[in-house]
Structure formats: C-alpha cells, structure tokens
C-alpha cells in the first residue's frame, strides 16, 4: 500500500499515512486528512490524488509553495517511490513499498476509513476461549452439584460432564455457521442425554417494532426421521417459562402434567419426559434447547437437566458471537459502500479550477459525514463563458449525496445547450421536481462569467446570497433569482447581473459556513464572513479561503460539525 512518511521533527516522531483515499489533503487545518503542525504551511496546503494506479501531488494555492524533490509544484506532478515532498519545514517521503515503516517507537497515523481491524474470526475465537474457560471453571467449582447417574460414582459423573463440556467448547471454537453449530450442539446433547428427539430453536427479530419469532434451526431424532423444521410445535407453557422467565423445564410425565394440558400435540404424540433450557447470555435469552421422549416416564433426571443447562450455556456464547460477526460484517459492508460513495462523490467535484485569464478561482468542500449534499462546479461553455455553480441539497448523508449527483448531472447536461441562465435553471428545477420526493429540494446558485466583458450573469435559487466584496470594501449581495429548485414545477427565475472589477472578490458558500455553531450554540453568521473577506480581500483566492477556514475553526472550537461546508472564491486580479 503506498504511503506518506512524515519525517521526524524535534517535537514529533516519524508518522505514516496510508494512501487509501482517492484524495488526501495536507495542511494546518484540522479538516485535512493529514494535519501538520507547521507554521509555514497553509491551512489547506497540498493534496495527493490517486489517478488509476498512480498518485499525483498538487499545490492548493499555498502561500509558501509545495516542493517535490526541490522543484516547486506549479501543476500536478506524478509521485514516484522515494520522492521527497516539502511543505514549509515539513518533509514527507512518498513510498510505494511496505518495508519503509518508521523506526521503532515511532507513531503510525491511519486515516479514519483505514483503521486496522482485528480479523473477526480471531476476535471471536479469543472471546470464545475466555468464555469456555469461564464455563469450565464454573463446572469445576460446582462438581459436587452434578448428581451421578444411577449405578455410577460421583467421580465418573464429573469426568463425563467435563468431557461433554470440552466437546461443546471445541464446537464453539470452530468457525462454523450458525446452522452447523446448532446441529453439532444437538449431537453433543444426544451423546450426553438419553433423549429420543431434540430441537434447537432461536429467537429471530421480525424487524423494527415487531416481536421476535421462535424459529427451529436444527432437529435430531433417534428414529432417523425428524420432523420438518417448519412443522415443529412446542407447548406454549414451555416456551413461556423458558423464553420469558429464563428458567428451565423438567417433567417426568407430560401426559399428566397440568402445565401442558392445553397443547394437544403432546397428548396425541404420547410425549412423556420433557426438558427445555434457555440459550442465555448475560441475562438475555436467545432461544432454547428442547428434548423429549415418548417412550418412558422419568427418562430425564436432575443430572440430565444440569448437563443440558451447561451445554446450552456454552452454546449460547457461540450463538452470540455469530450474531456479532453478522453485525460486524454488515457494518463493514456499509462502511465499504460509504467509502466507495465518498470516492464517487469526490470525483464529481472538480479536481481544480480552470485557468481563466485575469481571474483567480478556487473551490473546496468538506462533508460533515462520509458523503454530503453540497455541490460545486466549474464548467467551460462553448461560447467562452464559464459556469460557476454551488448547490446545497436539503438533508444530509447518503440521500442528500444521491440528489447532489443528480444536480451535478443536470447542470452538466444543460451546460451544452444554448439556453439562457434563467432557462437552464428552469430546466434543472423541472428535472429535480419530476425525479425526487416532494420533501427534497436544492438551493442553487448558478452563474456564468464572461471573462472578456467581466460580467457575471447569475440566478440565485433560494441559496445563501453570495457576497461580492469590491476592491473598495463595499459589499453587494447576489440575491436575485427565485425559489429553490425542486419545490414547484415550472419555476420562474429572474436573472441578475454583476460587473466584476479589478480586485473584486466573490465568495459563494453553503450554510455550513454561515450557520456553523460554537460551543454555546451561537451561529457564525454572514456578518463575520463579510468582515473576514473585507479584511483579507487583497490576498489570493486561496489566502482568503484559508482565513475563512481559520476563523471558522477558532469560532467553532470543540463544538461538533453539524453541516457540510463548501466555499467557492472568485477574484479578479488587479494586474490584468
């Protein structure tokens, strides 16, 4: 796995970052994938991006530059094994081999989606060994409580008991499926107890809000012709006592036991001796083992009940671990899907802004979850103008990300037409309205910049009004447009116009900037954003971006991030 090795400084040891993401950002801001505490690096300094099997290094408009093997990075450069990257006073080595780990005692940094996980089966086996050891210890401590079978000594009974539990423990440690485990448990039951028929039954959830259902997982019969799994019937009284009360059942003559008189199948089948014990872990009942015999009364003894209870106790550990494995596997599947979705979404954002003569552009987006609902794009039109767009989908997470991809596709499709800005946004509105639920919508700022005339034509469809800070410090809010797209059909949108003069700065942002909350619940607000842009309007677009990020980070403090953050900054240079 290719990695970055951040070389040691007087105050920090070497560290490793595995390049598992499509894009790995580097800088002083905590929003980066790799945060470096170097005063000479910018907050968003550089990035390493995967393209096919190769990785490329790009500068993100840093103040002091990014250097690769001593050469300043002006355009993306492909990384090769042992290349040296320098940002400020920080030296980073790119390595394609796994034998370049830091020296002993140094630190490894792993990105959030690549945290090492113990092999599930190894974890389960370790838990199983501990649990089996505890069960065997409890058996050893209670040897005198297990009564010997008729004609056998207490010592022989104890040896038999330990042999049985050892066999069940081995079953528990084996990497078997749940159904295979249940069948092996019943084999152990038959080797220990003179039962004619045995069932292993588990409680299975019927879904959110539904009651659990008792499902037969395995059957064993000495007759060789077991009942079908879906035809198993157990007395309601037995299931009530075992599953709800968590207690065991032992009867020597079910035909005359008043607890089972309501269950006709017992009478019709001539069942005599019955035992049932719960599969229980830490007070939670997972199911039950049921055994019976139709041929004799007094077939089962207290000793049999004790053995069956011990078998069920050990087996319950495996059942619980199998469930945990299934949950873990499902979580990993969802996590892998989110990583893939995040990578797909990142590819929808432009890797860099297009070069526009006399203009400095930059865009950045940080989702608050693995995927987000913010969208931005730069698109060159055939007539020489450039589309600059930013949108914010209602809601968060996967649903918002899916709608965001629809907005991206719709804007890209309309960019090839000769329609006016108002007509394009109307078409996007109709598409989103026709293809999304009624409770979903998108706030969208769509604009077209003509660098020849320095005129910006725009539509603000319900979005936070971008701020145009003039070189003089005067502020204009771009708020002409209409409703958010997707709310109503046949939207009527009005076009707005703005002249971009030398030194003017346009900041387009999502509400993750203005609505960021500090630890007391106060919003950052538009006024603070305007003040920062006014104060730093003489900087580059990247410099203004960094000052906004710095102010937001200081304002938010330790408060939790609650929304996606996206910024697009367009500045007309003063030296054109």
């Amino acid at each position: 796995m290719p990695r970055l090795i951040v070389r040691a400084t007087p105050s920090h040891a070497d560290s490793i970052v595995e390049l598992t993401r499509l894009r790995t950002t580097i800088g002083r801001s905590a929003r980066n994938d790799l945060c470096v505490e170097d005063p000479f690096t910018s907050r968003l300094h550089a990035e390493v991006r995967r393209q096919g099997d190769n990785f490329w290094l790009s500068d993100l408009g840093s103040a002091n530059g990014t250097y690769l093997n001593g050469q300043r990075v002006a355009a993306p450069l492909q990384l090769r094994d042992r290349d040296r990257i320098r940002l400020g006073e920080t030296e980073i080595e790119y390595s394609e081999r796994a034998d370049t780990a830091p020296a002993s005692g140094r630190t490894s940094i792993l990105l959030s989606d690549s945290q090492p996980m113990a092999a599930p089966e190894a974890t389960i086996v370790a838990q199983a060994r501990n649990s089996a050891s505890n069960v065997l210890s409890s058996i050893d401590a209670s040897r005198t409580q297990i009564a010997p079978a008729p004609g056998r000594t207490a010592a022989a009974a104890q040896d038999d008991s330990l042999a049985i539990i050892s066999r069940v423990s081995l079953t528990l440690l084996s990497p078997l499926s749940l159904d295979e485990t249940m069948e092996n448990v019943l084999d152990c039951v038959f080797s220990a107890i003179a039962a004619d028929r045995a069932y292993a039954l588990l409680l299975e959830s019927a879904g959110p809000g539904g009651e659990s259902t008792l499902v037969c997982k395995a059957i064993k019969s000495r007759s060789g012709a077991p009942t079908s799994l879906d035809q198993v019937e157990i007395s309601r009284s037995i299931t009530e006592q075992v599953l709800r009360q968590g207690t065991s059942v032992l009867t020597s003559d079910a035909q005359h036991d008043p607890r089972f008189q309501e269950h006709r199948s017992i009478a019709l089948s001539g069942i005599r001796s019955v035992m049932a014990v719960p599969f229980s872990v830490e007070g939670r009942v997972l199911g039950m083992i049921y055994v019976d015999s139709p041929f004799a009364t007094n077939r089962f003894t207290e000793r049999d009940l004790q053995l069956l209870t011990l078998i069920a106790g050990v087996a319950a550990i495996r059942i619980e671990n199998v469930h945990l494995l299934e949950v873990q596997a499902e979580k990993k599947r969802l996590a892998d899907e989110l990583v893939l979705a995040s990578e797909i979404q990142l590819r929808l954002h432009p890797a860099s802004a297009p070069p526009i003569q006399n203009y400095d552009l930059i865009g950045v987006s940080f989702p608050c979850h693995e995927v987000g609902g913010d969208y931005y794009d730069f698109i060159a039109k055939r007539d020489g103008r450039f589309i600059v767009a930013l949108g914010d989908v209602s809601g968060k997470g996967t649903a918002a990300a899916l709608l965001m991809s629809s907005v991206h596709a719709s804007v890209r499709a309309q960019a090839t037409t000769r329609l006016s800005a108002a007509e394009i946004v109307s078409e996007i509105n109709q598409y989103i309205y026709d293809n999304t639920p009624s409770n979903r919508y998108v706030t969208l700022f769509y604009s077209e910049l003509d660098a020849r005339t320095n005129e910006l034509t725009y539509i603000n469809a319900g979005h936070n009004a971008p701020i145009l800070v003039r070189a003089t410090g005067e502020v204009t809010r771009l708020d002409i447009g209409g409703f958010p797209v997707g709310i109503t059909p046949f939207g009527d949108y009005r076009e707005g116009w703005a002249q971009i003069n030398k030194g003017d700065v346009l900041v387009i942002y999502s509400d993750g900037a203005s609505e960021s909350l500090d630890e007391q619940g106060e919003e950052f607000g538009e006024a603070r954003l305007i003040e920062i842009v006014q104060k730093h309007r003489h900087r580059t677009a990247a410099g203004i971006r960094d000052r906004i990020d710095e102010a937001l980070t200081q304002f938010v403090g330790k408060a939790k991030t609650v929304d996606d953050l996206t910024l697009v900054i367009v500045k007309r240079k003063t030296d054109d």
Side-chain angles (χ1 to χ4, degrees), residues 44-362:
L44 296 169
H45 195 108
E47 73 168 19
V48 175
R49 183 182 290 260
R50 186 177 74 246
Q51 294 183 12
D53 295 330
N54 300 313
F55 288 85
W56 294 72
L57 175 68
S58 300
D59 184 78
L60 296 180
S62 65
N64 295 321
T66 302
Y67 292 83
L68 179 62
N69 300 324
Q71 175 188 351
R72 184 158 185 164
V73 177
L77 295 177
Q78 183 178 343
L79 291 171
R80 303 187 185 280
D81 191 37
R82 305 293 185 174
D83 275 352
R84 298 280 177 150
I85 304 167
R86 178 165 288 278
L87 298 76
E89 295 184 341
T90 302
E91 183 178 290
I92 302 173
E93 179 180 330
Y94 170 76
S95 174
E96 296 178 345
R97 295 181 291 180
D99 60 352
T100 53
S104 177
R106 294 174 177 172
T107 307
S108 291
I109 298 176
L110 297 176
L111 301 181
S112 58
D113 62 358
S114 62
Q115 289 290 346
M117 295 179 64
E121 207 48 60
T123 302
I124 295 306
V125 167
Q127 294 173 345
R129 288 185 186 277
N130 292 334
S131 301
S133 177
N134 292 337
V135 171
L136 290 171
S137 296
S138 66
I139 295 169
D140 186 61
S142 60
R143 285 186 176 183
T144 57
Q145 299 174 12
I146 301 180
R152 291 181 62 78
T153 65
Q158 291 160 4
D159 290 342
D160 289 348
S161 301
L162 290 173
I164 291 165
I165 300 306
S166 295
R167 179 178 176 183
V168 180
S169 298
L170 290 174
T171 298
L172 180 147
L173 292 171
S174 302
L176 302 175
S177 68
L178 185 60
D179 290 342
E180 291 171 329
T181 298
M182 293 295 94
E183 291 174 0
N184 283 6
V185 166
L186 293 189
D187 288 342
C188 293
V189 170
F190 265 48
S191 67
I193 297 168
D196 294 294
R197 188 170 56 178
Y199 304 149
L201 307 102
L202 293 180
L203 287 169
E204 292 189 350
S205 175
E211 291 187 2
S212 296
T213 303
L214 189 63
V215 178
C216 187
K217 292 294 185 179
I219 296 175
K220 190 172 182 64
S221 173
R222 294 194 190 276
S223 68
T227 308
S228 172
L229 289 174
D230 56 4
Q231 295 179 346
V232 172
E233 291 187 59
I234 305 294
S235 165
R236 189 182 304 112
S237 298
I238 293 177
T239 57
E240 176 76 21
Q241 183 171 335
V242 176
L243 301 179
R244 296 189 180 275
Q245 301 176 25
T247 58
S248 301
V249 171
L250 169 61
T251 181
S252 59
D253 189 356
Q255 297 294 314
H256 298 93
D257 194 319
R259 294 176 295 177
F260 312 130
Q261 296 307 305
E262 94 293 348
H263 208 278
R264 295 183 65 250
S265 64
I266 287 182
L268 293 174
S269 59
I271 299 300
R272 297 290 182 180
S273 296
V274 173
M275 279 196 305
V277 299
F279 291 123
S280 180
V281 176
E282 296 181 350
R284 291 180 294 106
V285 176
L286 311 178
M288 60 187 285
I289 298 179
Y290 170 93
V291 299
D292 63 24
S293 175
F295 304 114
T297 59
N298 300 315
R299 171 64 65 89
F300 305 131
T301 65
E302 286 288 340
R303 175 183 177 277
D304 293 328
L305 183 63
Q306 290 169 343
L307 285 175
L308 190 62
T309 301
L310 289 171
I311 292 172
V314 177
I317 299 166
R318 177 62 187 177
I319 296 169
E320 177 75 350
N321 285 335
V322 169
H323 287 165
L324 291 175
L325 266 179
E326 291 174 349
V327 170
Q328 186 181 36
E330 179 64 13
K331 285 184 177 179
K332 185 179 185 304
R333 184 187 68 79
L334 293 175
D336 290 344
E337 287 186 0
L338 279 176
V339 169
L340 180 59
S342 177
E343 181 171 321
I344 292 172
Q345 186 175 52
L346 184 58
R347 290 182 185 278
L348 297 181
H349 291 150
S352 60
I356 303 178
Q357 187 175 7
N358 303 325
Y359 281 87
D360 183 14
L361 287 79
I362 203 158

Side-chain angles (χ1 to χ4, degrees), residues 448-467:
E448 296 180 0
L449 174 64
D450 190 334
R452 297 161 296 190
T453 64
N454 300 304
E455 184 177 80
L456 184 80
T457 304
Y458 73 88
I459 303 286
N460 188 332
H463 196 73
N464 303 88
I467 53 176

Side-chain angles (χ1 to χ4, degrees), residues 561-572:
T561 302
V562 296
D563 207 347
D564 306 327
L565 170 64
T566 302
L567 292 170
V568 170
I569 299 172
V570 180
K571 180 175 181 178
R572 184 178 171 188

Side-chain angles (χ1 to χ4, degrees), residues 506-559:
L506 172 63
V507 178
I508 314 168
Y509 60 95
S510 66
D511 54 16
S514 59
E515 296 180 9
S516 288
L517 303 175
D518 66 7
E519 295 173 53
Q520 288 72 45
E522 180 183 354
E523 282 191 358
F524 186 77
E526 182 189 63
R528 286 188 177 90
L529 183 61
I530 290 174
E531 182 181 355
I532 293 165
V533 180
Q534 286 175 322
K535 182 178 179 180
H536 300 286
R537 64 186 183 276
H538 302 299
R539 293 178 179 266
T540 63
I544 296 169
R545 172 205 63 196
D546 284 358
R547 300 291 72 77
I548 293 173
D549 174 68
E550 182 178 43
L552 282 168
T553 301
Q554 291 176 354
F555 177 82
V556 170
K558 296 181 181 179

